[in-house]
């Protein structure tokens, strides 16, 4: 299904700009749980991008796909799969309705991220509507492009607060010829040691996780390379591993079912202790990305967790919660000033997803 | 050569020099004509300007004070690394301070476990890999100037190299930056993790050409050195076939570490210069480097050889040993100086195109070459579509530089026309400022100016570079062309 509603969207933004009326950007609604819920958003008009869909350009040998923001993620992944390719950042969808626009706006990446890169790394260009209702294009469909500031990547993770994504161009990669997942029973400290030792050698690693006293490592690449790597790291070869990584990516493992708030903590991979009471209970923590990402289930106050993580130069996001609005790691005053200036530069009337990221934006 | 902008310092030169001497030692403030001369240009020597004063601070605190002073008196500041840039990005401002980061040469820390290195901005690109070598690690982006260019400049330009298709550009290989804003504030951008809270300022700073802040510390990501690297040379009697072969390798599911193409003139120049054993009868050669584990490389060599033969290569040669591999690369790496021996001067362009457009673009360039009566040698990062046409000219012939620049501008406009960009890795600087008017419309340029103002509202950092004023675009008279929406007359002939 192809449809171009960019003019309609532009008119709605222009109209909102004239009236200084807040807009709440919406497409598949698959990640509505993510981000702050601000009072301004409650009364905002819905801007529905889901009707703006369709793949505009895909040529497998160019390794680039361009699609309208409302195109379902599933549709894009299916098309790539038919051509032996993939989105290398393995984005979570959280629902069949997830769109490519929402995926980029949230900049969420899956298990492969630590080894091939994040959503932002594969974003080559985008077309946006800024807060004044202007349609603008940045970047493009080529791998190397340094003309002008990198506004495209600025959009990744901005959660629509700087512009509404209309089209995105992404670099894609071939699917690996072979994958194998190896499993090890060990302590968290042993798991970290192993992951670090392996990541310092040219093994074809593509994912890692540790929880419930179990380390899993995925190897992806040329058949002979994967076979040799399996021999090198040994461990028990996991059957139906694809399903496991899918469940991890979509947060459908048992670990994610509990009622407690879920924190996403990004920090140095070799961090041993988070300096939190919750540390004492290893069952509350799931490691990904060679140790650089920790999912933590904790009732501790946001301030406590974010303070502890700030001490480690990392950042903590309240990923799933009910009501607490301290979702994202507080910024230093200097960085917040730049953020506010940038918000002003793209959305001078502050109408795009106000308060979604920070109350000041 | 560049048009002066509106910025006028609110301090006399003498008072400025005097104030700078209060901040840093006397011998780190240069203002005598003969001391300033070495700073008059960067790697693009066609553009020259003498700065008012050159400063060589060595601490972050000194940089803060210098910027605070310049901010207070509205003095333009141009930051400079090794000055190897090819777009005039470090061209001094005649009424401004040239801020050299040359004394920031410490490697602060290498953390093999986290696979990162924290370095000062004046550390040379290659020095990082050399220092990381003891841990079996290296820093992937390798611009051809890597012996001399500095990491601060690499970040400012988002530098690339020959391994970008597989390993990315600078933006994919850094983790944290420390910058100082024009009002003297130190900002730490991103942290110890793989991502950070808030907007992606790391990406915004990368490639911002010294327009948003001064980089004073860089934390780069390191990669394990591949177990093995092997290179295959393939010769073609037709450049179109060579271009198709590149697509066929990728269609086979292989992402080579490097994939380079050279045309006949470049092959001949390189062969005469370094005797790499290149086939002189070929219209084009491809150099395909495969790296990774032993097993992976072995498997891929067989596959790539087969693909190349099926794509119509007249010769496929695999380097038998490391020495032959080095020789085959030597020819490519020496291509610029080799071409330089054919002609008194050459002008290196840097457009990127979707690879499928290569035949049309090469044909159009050949036509332009005939029209301007200036030969062009082509060296091409084929894997990622980044073209480096080298226009041969003689600066001593009156008018020839101007003709060369006009020809170069046409090539860049052609790149935009086919859906590409005016610069893949060299940056806009002063050189391509007019072509920015072709690639972006006035609303997009205004958005860039608004981004600039979010960091530097007075426009003191590297004024006049990277993003043209709308007035300049009007003067240039260029029409914004976007992905073939306007016909390009040269393209209709074939």
């Amino acid at each position: 299904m192809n449809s171009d509603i960019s003019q309609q969207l532009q008119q709605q933004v222009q109209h909102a700009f004239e009236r200084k009326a807040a807009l709440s950007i919406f497409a598949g609604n698959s990640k509505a749980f993510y981000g702050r819920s601000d009072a301004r958003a409650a009364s905002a008009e819905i801007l529905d991008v889901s009707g703006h869909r369709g793949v505009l350009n895909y040529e497998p040998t160019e390794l680039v796909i361009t699609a309208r923001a409302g195109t379902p993620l599933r549709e894009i992944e299916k098309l790539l799969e038919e051509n032996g390719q993939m989105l290398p950042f393995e984005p979570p969808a959280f629902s069949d309705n997830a769109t490519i626009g929402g995926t980029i706006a949230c900049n969420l990446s899956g298990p492969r991220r630590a080894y091939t890169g994040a959503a932002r790394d594969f974003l080559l260009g985008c077309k946006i509507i800024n807060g004044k209702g202007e349609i603008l294009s940045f970047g493009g469909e080529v791998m190397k492009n340094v003309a002008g500031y990198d506004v495209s990547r600025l959009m990744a993770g901005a959660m629509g607060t700087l512009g509404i994504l209309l089209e995105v161009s992404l670099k894609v990669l071939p699917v690996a010829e072979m994958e194998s997942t190896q499993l090890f029973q060990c302590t968290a400290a042993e798991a970290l040691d192993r992951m670090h030792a392996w990541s310092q050698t040219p093994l074809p690693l593509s994912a890692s996780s540790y929880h419930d006293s179990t380390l899993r490592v995925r190897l992806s690449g040329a058949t002979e390379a994967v076979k040799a790597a399996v021999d090198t790291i040994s461990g028990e070869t996991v059957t139906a591993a694809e399903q496991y990584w899918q469940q991890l990516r979509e947060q459908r493992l048992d670990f994610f079912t509990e009622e407690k708030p879920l924190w996403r903590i990004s920090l140095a991979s070799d961090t041993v202790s988070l300096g939190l009471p919750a540390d004492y209970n290893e069952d509350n923590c799931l490691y990904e990305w060679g140790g650089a990402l920790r999912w933590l289930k904790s009732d501790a106050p946001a301030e406590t967790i974010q303070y502890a993580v700030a001490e480690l130069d990392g950042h903590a996001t309240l990923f799933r919660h009910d009501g607490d609005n301290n979702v994202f790691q507080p910024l230093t005053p200097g960085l917040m000033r730049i953020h506010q200036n940038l918000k002003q530069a793209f959305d001078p009337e502050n109408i795009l997803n106000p308060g979604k990221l920070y109350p000041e934006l | 050569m560049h048009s002066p902008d509106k910025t006028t310092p609110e301090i006399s030169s003498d008072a400025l020099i005097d104030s700078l001497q209060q901040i840093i030692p006397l011998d780190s403030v240069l203002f005598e004509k003969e001391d300033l001369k070495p700073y008059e240009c960067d790697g693009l020597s066609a553009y020259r300007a003498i700065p008012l004063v050159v400063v060589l601070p060595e601490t972050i605190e000194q940089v803060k004070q210098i910027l605070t002073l310049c901010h207070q008196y509205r003095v333009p500041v141009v930051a400079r690394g090794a000055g190897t840039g090819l777009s005039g990005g470090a061209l001094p401002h005649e009424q401004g301070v040239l801020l050299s980061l040359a004394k920031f040469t410490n490697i602060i820390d290498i953390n093999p476990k986290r696979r990162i290195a924290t370095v000062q901005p004046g550390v040379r690109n290659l020095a990082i890999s050399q220092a990381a070598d003891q841990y079996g690690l290296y820093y992937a982006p390798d611009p051809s100037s890597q012996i001399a260019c500095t990491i601060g400049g690499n970040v400012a330009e988002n530098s690339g190299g020959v391994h970008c298709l597989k390993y990315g550009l600078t933006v994919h290989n850094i983790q944290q930056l420390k910058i100082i804003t024009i009002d003297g504030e130190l900002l730490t951008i991103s942290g110890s993790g793989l991502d950070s809270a808030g907007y992606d300022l790391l990406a915004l700073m990368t490639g911002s050409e010294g327009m948003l802040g001064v980089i004073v510390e860089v934390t780069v990501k390191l990669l394990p050195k591949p177990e093995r690297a092997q290179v295959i040379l393939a010769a073609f009697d037709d450049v179109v076939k060579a271009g198709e072969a590149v697509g066929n390798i990728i269609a086979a599911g292989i992402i080579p570490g490097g994939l380079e193409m050279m045309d006949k003139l470049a092959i001949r120049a390189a062969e005469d210069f370094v005797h790499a054993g290149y086939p002189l009868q070929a219209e084009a050669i491809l150099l395909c480097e495969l790296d990774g584990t032993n097993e992976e490389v072995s498997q891929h060599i067989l596959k790539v050889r087969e693909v190349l033969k099926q794509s119509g290569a007249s010769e496929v040669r695999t380097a038998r040993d490391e020495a032959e591999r080095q020789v085959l690369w030597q020819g490519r790496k020496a291509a610029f100086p080799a071409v330089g021996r054919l002609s008194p001067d050459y002008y290196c362009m840097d457009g990127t195109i979707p690879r499928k457009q290569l035949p049309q673009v090469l044909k159009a360039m050949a036509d332009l070459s005939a029209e301007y009566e200036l030969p062009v040698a082509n060296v091409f990062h084929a894997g990622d579509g980044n073209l480096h046409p080298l226009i041969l000219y003689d600066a001593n012939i009156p008018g020839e530089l101007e003709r060369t620049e006009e020809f170069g501008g046409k090539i860049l406009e052609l790149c935009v026309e086919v859906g590409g960009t005016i610069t893949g890795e060299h940056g806009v600087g002063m050189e391509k400022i007019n072509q920015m008017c072709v690639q972006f419309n006035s609303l997009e340029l205004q958005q860039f100016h608004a981004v600039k103002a979010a960091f530097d509202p007075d426009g003191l950092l590297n004024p006049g570079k990277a993003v043209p004023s709308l007035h300049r675009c009007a003067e240039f008279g260029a029409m914004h062309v976007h992905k073939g929406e306007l016909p390009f007359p040269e393209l209709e002939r074939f």
Side-chain angles (χ1 to χ4, degrees):
Chain A
M1 199 174 72
N2 262 1
S3 67
D4 179 355
I5 59 163
S6 51
Q7 288 201 352
Q8 191 181 317
L9 293 169
Q10 183 181 24
Q11 281 165 11
Q12 195 183 342
V13 179
Q14 284 169 342
H15 194 50
F17 172 67
E18 285 156 15
R19 292 177 297 128
K20 303 182 185 180
L23 291 169
S24 184
I25 309 162
F26 166 103
N29 211 26
S30 60
K31 287 175 278 289
F33 64 87
Y34 185 60
R36 296 181 71 255
S37 43
D38 195 273
R40 285 166 290 178
S43 59
E45 206 177 289
I46 297 281
L47 183 90
D48 184 356
V49 188
S50 62
H52 188 60
R53 58 193 284 182
V55 172
L56 297 172
N57 180 29
Y58 172 46
E59 281 176 68
T61 60
E62 299 276 334
L63 298 174
V64 176
I65 189 165
T66 297
R68 295 196 181 103
T71 312
L73 184 59
R74 292 279 179 256
E75 192 180 312
I76 287 173
E77 289 185 321
K78 187 164 166 283
L79 176 64
L80 294 175
E81 198 183 324
E82 286 163 7
N83 289 278
Q85 298 188 330
M86 62 175 178
L87 293 175
F89 51 99
E90 258 186 331
F94 300 130
S95 137
D96 284 343
N97 300 328
T99 62
I100 192 65
T103 300
I104 296 303
C106 294
N107 190 34
L108 294 176
S109 307
R112 204 178 296 269
R113 189 266 175 262
Y115 309 94
T116 50
R120 60 84 95 166
D121 290 310
F122 292 93
L123 183 61
L124 299 174
C126 62
K127 187 187 267 190
I128 64 164
I129 308 178
N130 68 9
K132 293 193 274 185
E134 297 166 347
I135 294 183
L136 311 170
S137 290
F138 300 102
E141 295 185 304
V142 290
M143 301 294 156
K144 282 165 117 176
N145 185 354
V146 294
Y149 303 121
D150 197 344
V151 173
S152 307
R153 286 196 174 85
L154 193 60
M155 295 296 142
M159 299 190 73
T161 60
L162 297 178
I164 295 137
L165 292 170
L166 282 181
E167 291 169 17
V168 296
S169 296
L170 297 162
K171 179 180 175 183
V172 299
L173 286 177
V175 169
E177 196 176 66
M178 184 185 174
E179 294 204 322
S180 182
T181 295
Q182 306 308 112
L183 177 150
F184 308 82
Q185 300 292 336
C186 59
T187 64
E190 284 166 354
L192 283 178
D193 281 348
R194 286 183 192 189
M195 288 191 284
H196 283 103
W198 291 329
S199 69
Q200 286 172 61
T201 66
L203 286 166
L205 301 169
S206 73
S208 56
S209 75
Y210 176 80
H211 58 98
D212 299 318
S213 306
T214 309
L215 168 66
R216 289 177 182 82
V217 175
R218 186 176 65 190
L219 301 156
S220 309
T223 306
E224 295 308 317
V226 173
K227 282 183 184 166
V230 168
D231 289 343
T232 306
I233 71 168
S234 71
E236 179 192 330
T237 300
V238 179
T239 51
E242 207 174 316
Q243 196 188 345
Y244 168 80
W245 295 112
Q246 181 69 15
Q247 286 178 338
L248 172 62
R249 166 184 176 183
E250 297 297 343
Q251 302 192 337
R252 287 202 297 264
L253 294 173
D254 288 344
F255 174 86
F256 295 101
T257 54
E258 214 176 308
E259 296 297 300
K260 282 186 186 175
L262 179 68
W263 284 89
R264 178 192 185 278
I265 298 172
S266 174
L267 38 52
S269 58
D270 60 348
T271 307
V272 176
S273 167
L274 299 179
L276 285 169
D279 259 1
Y280 298 121
N281 186 353
E282 216 174 64
D283 296 340
N284 283 336
C285 203
L286 184 150
Y287 297 57
E288 273 197 80
W289 300 1
L293 185 68
R294 316 277 169 98
W295 296 98
L296 177 74
K297 294 182 289 192
S298 174
D299 286 322
E303 293 78 6
T304 308
I305 292 178
Q306 287 171 336
Y307 178 80
V309 173
E311 291 290 292
L312 300 163
D313 278 336
H315 70 105
T317 307
L318 184 48
F319 200 77
R320 288 182 193 267
H321 60 99
D322 44 356
D324 192 332
N325 248 341
N326 296 312
V327 173
F328 297 101
Q329 185 79 33
L331 301 173
T332 61
L335 286 176
M336 181 50 84
R337 185 171 57 88
I338 296 288
H339 275 64
Q340 287 173 306
N341 292 350
L342 282 170
K343 173 72 173 172
Q344 175 73 23
F346 283 88
D347 179 19
E349 297 296 351
N350 195 14
I351 58 169
L352 303 179
N353 272 355
K356 186 83 181 162
L357 211 49
Y358 289 98
E360 298 91 335
L361 302 178
Chain B
M1 183 133 202
H2 69 293
S3 56
D5 57 275
K6 297 183 291 275
T7 316
T8 316
E10 291 167 0
I11 184 172
S12 71
S13 331
D14 288 348
L16 176 66
I17 290 165
D18 194 49
S19 304
L20 289 167
Q21 286 172 337
Q22 310 290 318
I23 300 171
I24 49 176
L26 293 183
D27 61 356
S28 297
V29 181
L30 312 178
F31 53 89
E32 299 290 353
K33 185 94 198 258
E34 65 270 24
D35 294 331
L36 299 175
K37 186 86 175 147
Y39 295 91
E40 67 176 350
C41 66
D42 60 13
L44 183 68
S45 56
Y47 295 76
R48 292 167 198 265
I50 301 286
L52 199 64
V53 55
V54 173
V55 289
L56 295 133
E58 47 190 324
T59 68
I60 287 179
E61 189 50 41
Q62 289 169 350
V63 176
K64 283 171 84 164
Q65 288 180 32
I66 291 166
L67 290 176
T68 305
L69 176 75
C70 291
H71 184 231
Q72 186 182 351
Y73 295 108
R74 300 178 57 84
V75 180
V77 180
V78 177
R80 177 186 169 108
T84 56
L86 294 171
S87 58
L91 178 74
H93 192 288
E94 284 166 354
Q95 292 179 296
V97 169
L98 186 97
L99 176 61
S100 167
L101 281 308
K103 289 188 175 175
F104 283 82
T105 55
N106 289 332
I107 294 178
I108 298 165
D109 182 43
I110 294 182
N111 187 326
K113 217 170 169 186
R114 295 183 185 178
R115 285 192 286 125
I116 53 173
T118 301
V119 303
Q120 290 190 324
V123 171
R124 291 173 305 111
N125 173 298
L126 190 61
I128 300 174
S129 291
Q130 285 166 343
D133 189 65
Q134 58 182 309
Y135 306 106
L137 302 171
Y138 77 113
Y139 175 64
D142 58 344
S144 57
S145 57
Q146 72 173 151
I147 303 170
C149 65
T150 62
I151 191 67
N154 287 180
V155 174
E157 300 293 325
N158 193 11
S159 303
V162 298
H163 295 100
C164 293
L165 183 66
K166 187 168 179 181
Y167 298 107
L169 290 98
T170 305
V171 70
H172 302 104
N173 289 281
I174 59 171
Q175 180 167 304
Q176 189 190 64
L177 290 177
K178 286 186 182 164
I179 69 159
I180 300 181
T181 59
I182 185 63
D183 45 4
E185 183 167 4
L186 177 69
L187 297 179
T188 300
I189 293 173
S190 203
S192 65
L194 295 178
D195 47 30
S196 63
Y199 298 142
D200 196 339
L201 300 184
L202 197 65
L204 189 60
M205 283 306 301
T206 310
S208 63
E209 304 197 17
M211 305 279 289
L212 306 182
V214 174
I215 297 158
V216 291
E217 191 183 294
V218 185
T219 299
V220 302
K221 296 178 184 171
L222 303 172
L223 292 177
K225 286 167 71 180
E227 206 167 70
R228 181 176 159 207
Q230 181 62 279
V231 70
I232 300 175
L233 178 147
F236 293 86
D237 56 14
D238 179 357
V239 284
V240 176
K241 280 189 202 167
E244 283 166 359
V246 173
N248 293 341
I249 292 170
I250 286 159
I254 294 170
I255 305 293
L259 192 50
E260 297 290 306
M261 193 192 290
M262 292 163 73
D263 74 358
K264 195 166 194 167
L265 188 51
I267 296 168
R268 215 167 263 171
E271 185 56 26
D272 286 349
F273 189 34
V274 300
H275 312 294
Y278 288 167
L280 289 171
Q281 296 314 307
E283 286 297 320
I285 59 167
L286 279 183
L287 285 173
C288 177
E289 177 153 294
L290 299 160
D291 63 3
T293 63
N294 251 322
E295 296 79 9
E296 183 182 3
V297 173
S298 300
Q299 188 183 330
H300 283 167
I301 283 175
L302 293 175
K303 204 162 174 183
V304 168
R305 284 185 63 97
E306 194 184 311
V307 170
L308 289 168
K309 282 179 187 159
Q310 280 171 3
S311 306
S314 52
E315 186 194 344
V316 178
R317 195 192 305 165
T318 308
R320 279 158 300 186
D321 49 35
E322 181 60 21
E324 189 174 354
R325 173 180 165 259
Q326 293 290 356
V327 170
L328 290 179
W329 269 119
Q330 194 56 43
R332 164 61 186 91
K333 286 182 179 165
F336 289 14
V339 168
R341 294 166 79 231
L342 301 180
S343 156
D345 300 283
Y346 69 92
Y347 191 45
C348 174
M349 308 307 298
D350 172 46
T352 304
I353 56 167
R355 208 178 337 92
K356 65 180 175 198
Q357 303 287 359
L358 183 64
Q360 292 90 309
V361 170
L362 287 177
K363 173 72 170 67
M365 275 202 285
D367 290 349
L368 286 168
S369 171
E371 185 187 327
Y372 283 91
E373 296 175 351
L374 294 166
V376 179
N378 272 295
V379 184
F380 182 31
H381 300 306
D384 47 38
N386 190 193
L387 299 166
H388 289 315
L390 304 169
I391 305 172
L392 310 187
Y393 73 103
D394 183 348
N396 289 325
I397 299 175
E400 195 149 307
L401 171 62
E402 289 70 24
R403 230 167 66 238
T404 301
E405 287 184 323
E406 192 182 312
F407 178 12
K410 287 270 171 64
I411 293 176
L412 298 184
E413 287 158 35
L414 178 67
C415 291
V416 176
E417 180 65 24
V418 300
T421 175
I422 58 171
T423 174
E425 56 185 357
H426 295 172
V428 173
M430 273 315 289
E431 182 201 21
K432 305 178 197 79
I433 194 124
N434 288 337
Q435 279 71 37
M436 283 291 280
C437 313
V438 178
Q439 186 161 341
F440 295 98
N441 67 32
S442 56
L443 291 178
E444 289 155 352
L445 293 173
Q446 277 173 320
Q447 187 67 75
F448 284 143
H449 287 300
V451 168
K452 162 82 168 165
F455 287 80
D456 175 22
D458 300 328
L460 297 175
L461 289 169
N462 220 0
K465 312 276 179 64
V467 184
S469 65
L470 299 185
H471 176 70
R472 187 181 180 114
C473 287
E475 268 186 357
F476 177 59
M479 225 165 158
H480 168 68
V481 286
H482 188 68
K483 294 180 187 171
E485 283 160 15
L486 283 173
F488 196 80
E490 277 83 343
L491 280 176
E492 292 176 356
R493 283 185 244 133
F494 47 87

